[in-house]
């Protein structure tokens, strides 16, 4: 453990280089420097044959740095170090597997040791080395740790829908991710999104959520049915990647209360006439008007053309009226009237009619 990284041939060569150059004429200097620099790089490569391992983590979360090693080194001590890997640069070793915010675990069967760095801060980004302690030179693998903010995204797609309706969240992705798993979660924390996914592409239907991946179009669609106000809020569409952070797009869903231009409670008397006012937006003057009865607008029964109910236009005031000439007890209930036969939410009047006996005359 005494000679860590300083055992690398590079440093010795660097000292040699400085002395050597001191003696050379300035004309030759550039070439020699290049040559020696190349030798130096080459020597270092011998000790880190695997190449650089790139790892990315989220600020505030943890990251796993996994390094493999060759057969025969199972029982050797492993460690993670920073900077030049001097003794004071060693962060954690398998001989003491927990230190500060570092944990190390050696999977001897897979021959991979994994260091977990928790509570990531911006200063944790940079170069690390995975080391295996040996007699003489240790074995090193370079690790580059990058950090990303645990939030998303600069652009947010806004969607509005209504209680009781269904809505599709359309998530576009790049064509190279055709075969990657897709998922969606609440909130806007990329680090926990997959773990808390409402639905993933492995599982097309989950309660009110359905996920369809259109690989040709490069979008996946999440259909949420029976929306409630609780469904309002932020969502992240995620595409899972293997060795890099997943890619996300952000959606803001607003579920509006289902009603209406107006909600009216009205009382009528058996045998008497009654007039109901149905306001509508001015731009709907030429649209078909309708009246229906039932607790839910989606399933209410159309009574527009029943002779007992007469619709009388009142275009100039943006309302029409429904006249019932002789009220019956059975007329009590919930009515909806509006000016849009497509029955989109919002442009309705909800009328709750109660019908009472006439008390004044006998
Ligand atoms: C790190 O590895 C551990 C053990 O396999 C796992 O439980 C944890 O979720 C991993 N953390 C991250 C951020 O991938
Ligand atoms: C969502 O799925 C339901 C049930 O399959 C379907 O009736 C509805 O039209 C879909 N909604 C949207 C917005 O695609
Ligand atoms: C809505 O969310 C709140 C808090 O998250 C919860 O207490 C409540 O039960 C939810 N309501 C419905 C109808 O799901
Ligand atoms: C009501 O009558 C009108 C005119 O006859 C017709 O155009 C309309 O389709 C009818 N509506 C319904 C719901 O039957
Ligand atoms: C038209 O509507 C207005 C406002 O609701 C009402 O005052 C007026 O009496 C209505 N006129 C007719 C002819 O129904
Ligand atoms: C009512 O209808 C008008 C015209 O179609 C539309 O612009 C408006 O958004 C609708 N209102 C609601 C609340 O849906």
């Amino acid at each position: 453990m005494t000679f860590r990284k300083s055992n690398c041939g590079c440093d010795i060569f660097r000292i040699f280089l400085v002395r050597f150059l001191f003696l050379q004429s300035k004309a030759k200097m550039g070439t020699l420097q290049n040559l020696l620099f190349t030798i130096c790089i080459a020597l270092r490569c011998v000790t880190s044959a695997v190449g650089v391992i790139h790892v990315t983590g989220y600020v505030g979360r943890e990251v796993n740095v996994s390094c493999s090693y060759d057969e025969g080194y199972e029982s050797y001590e492993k460690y993670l170090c920073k900077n030049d890997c001097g003794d004071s640069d060693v962060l954690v070793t398998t001989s003491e597997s927990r230190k500060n915010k570092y944990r190390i675990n050696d999977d001897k069967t897979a021959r991979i040791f994994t260091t977990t760095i928790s509570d990531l801060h911006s200063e944790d980004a940079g170069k690390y080395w995975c080391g295996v302690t040996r007699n003489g030179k240790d074995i090193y693998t370079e690790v580059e740790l990058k950090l990303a903010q645990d939030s998303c995204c600069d652009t947010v797609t806004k969607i509005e829908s209504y209680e009781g309706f269904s809505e599709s969240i359309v998530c576009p992705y790049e064509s190279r991710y055709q075969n990657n798993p897709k998922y969606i979660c609440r909130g806007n924390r990329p680090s926990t999104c997959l773990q808390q996914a409402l639905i993933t592409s492995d599982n097309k239907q989950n309660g009110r959520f359905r996920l369809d991946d259109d690989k040709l179009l490069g979008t996946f669609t999440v259909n949420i049915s029976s929306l409630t106000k609780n469904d309002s809020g932020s969502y992240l569409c995620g595409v899972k990647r293997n060795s890099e952070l997943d890619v996300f797009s952000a959606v803001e869903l607003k579920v509006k209360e289902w009603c209406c231009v107006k909600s009216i409670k009205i009382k009528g008397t058996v045998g008497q006439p009654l007039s109901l006012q149905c306001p509508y937006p001015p731009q709907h003057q030429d649209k078909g008007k309708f009246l229906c009865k039932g607790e839910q607008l989606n399933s209410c029964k159309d009574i527009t053309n029943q002779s007992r109910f007469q619709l009388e236009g009142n275009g100039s005031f943006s309302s029409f009226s429904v006249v019932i000439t002789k009220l019956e007890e059975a007329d009590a209930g919930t009515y909806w009237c509006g000016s849009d036969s497509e029955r989109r939410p919002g442009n309705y009047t909800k009328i709750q009619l109660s019908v009472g006996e006439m008390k004044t005359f006998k």
Side-chain angles (χ1 to χ4, degrees):
M1 260 232 242
T2 17
F3 287 111
R4 301 272 183 205
K5 194 86 199 87
S6 55
N7 240 14
C8 177
C10 227
D11 301 285
I12 296 159
F13 260 84
R14 226 174 255 141
I15 295 161
F16 176 64
L17 176 77
V18 171
R19 286 201 176 168
F20 188 73
L21 288 175
F22 198 69
L23 302 168
Q24 297 305 307
S25 71
K26 279 185 180 173
K28 286 182 185 170
M29 203 165 125
T31 339
L32 278 166
Q33 190 167 10
N34 281 343
L35 176 68
L36 287 171
F37 191 63
T38 312
I39 294 168
C40 190
I41 296 278
L43 277 177
R44 199 170 79 188
C45 286
V46 174
T47 55
S48 59
V50 191
V52 181
I53 296 175
H54 293 274
V55 186
T56 313
Y58 289 109
V59 171
R61 317 298 300 188
E62 63 172 39
V63 72
N64 287 329
V65 177
S66 292
C67 295
S68 59
Y69 53 86
D70 289 335
E71 204 171 346
Y73 292 105
E74 287 85 345
S75 62
Y76 287 58
E77 183 199 48
K78 324 287 183 322
Y79 58 91
L80 187 79
C81 58
K82 246 193 136 165
N83 305 324
D84 292 331
C85 252
D87 271 345
S88 62
D89 293 325
V90 174
L91 303 166
V92 64
T93 76
T94 48
S95 315
E96 191 195 346
S97 65
R98 248 167 213 279
K99 200 174 173 194
N100 303 323
K101 59 181 197 166
Y102 305 94
R103 291 196 311 272
I104 196 164
N105 174 51
D106 188 3
D107 182 344
K108 290 176 176 158
T109 317
R111 293 202 311 273
I112 293 172
F113 69 98
T114 302
T115 310
T116 306
I117 311 174
S118 54
D119 188 25
L120 289 167
H121 283 81
S122 48
E123 60 267 25
D124 292 320
K127 191 190 281 190
Y128 292 79
W129 302 90
C130 279
V132 179
T133 307
R134 282 197 299 192
N135 286 334
K137 270 183 221 164
D138 289 358
I139 304 168
Y140 293 99
T141 309
E142 188 177 342
V143 176
E144 186 71 37
L145 172 63
K146 286 195 189 135
L147 291 181
Q149 290 303 319
D150 193 11
S151 62
C152 184
C153 305
D154 290 339
T155 55
V156 178
T157 307
K158 295 205 160 142
I159 301 177
E160 278 188 6
S161 193
Y162 292 90
E163 282 181 301
F165 279 58
S166 70
E167 188 58 56
S168 286
I169 297 178
V170 178
C171 308
Y173 58 83
E174 289 175 46
S175 55
R176 61 188 158 130
Y177 299 132
Q178 260 185 6
N179 296 318
N180 294 42
K182 320 289 184 323
Y183 56 94
I184 193 165
C185 66
R186 299 283 309 244
N188 73 342
R189 284 198 149 216
S191 66
T192 52
C193 190
L194 179 56
Q195 202 183 324
Q196 296 174 357
L198 299 163
I199 185 164
T200 69
S201 49
D202 303 334
N203 178 16
K204 274 185 176 303
Q205 184 92 39
N206 182 17
R208 296 185 298 121
F209 299 90
R210 205 184 68 227
L211 192 153
D212 292 297
D213 189 2
D214 187 334
K215 295 184 179 183
L216 286 180
L217 214 61
T219 60
F220 70 96
T221 304
V222 178
N223 175 316
I224 313 176
S225 55
S226 308
L227 287 170
T228 69
K229 278 194 162 176
N230 263 15
D231 295 318
S232 293
S234 308
Y235 291 79
L236 285 184
C237 301
V239 175
K240 189 168 161 37
R241 297 198 291 183
N242 284 331
S243 48
E244 290 166 282
L245 293 182
D246 296 356
V247 259
F248 295 96
S249 54
V251 174
E252 181 81 27
L253 174 65
K254 187 171 179 193
V255 180
K256 290 183 166 179
E257 199 172 334
W258 197 80
C259 218
C260 313
V261 173
K262 222 172 170 184
S263 182
I264 304 167
K265 282 188 177 155
I266 193 165
K267 278 185 180 151
T269 309
V270 172
Q272 294 292 299
L274 182 79
S275 173
L276 307 172
Q277 292 295 322
C278 290
Y280 56 84
Q283 56 279 43
H284 281 195
Q285 255 184 40
D286 302 327
K287 293 214 174 179
K289 313 294 181 286
F290 77 89
L291 174 74
C292 70
K293 188 179 178 188
E295 282 310 308
Q296 302 291 327
L297 176 63
N298 311 20
S299 56
C300 65
K301 186 169 177 280
D302 199 299
I303 52 172
T304 312
N305 286 353
Q306 281 191 9
S307 57
R308 288 189 55 241
F309 302 87
Q310 281 164 24
L311 270 59
E312 292 174 2
N314 193 343
S316 54
F317 288 91
S318 278
S319 81
F320 66 93
S321 51
V322 178
V323 179
I324 311 172
T325 41
K326 226 177 158 189
L327 263 186
E328 295 171 6
E329 229 170 307
D331 291 332
T334 305
Y335 293 81
W336 308 87
C337 57
S339 53
D340 185 351
S341 47
E342 284 170 37
R343 301 201 182 182
R344 281 172 306 200
N347 281 323
Y348 297 96
T349 301
K350 179 184 182 181
I351 300 165
Q352 283 164 293
L353 173 65
S354 53
V355 178
E357 295 286 335
M358 200 187 320
K359 284 171 189 159
T360 36
F361 299 111
K362 202 113 219 226

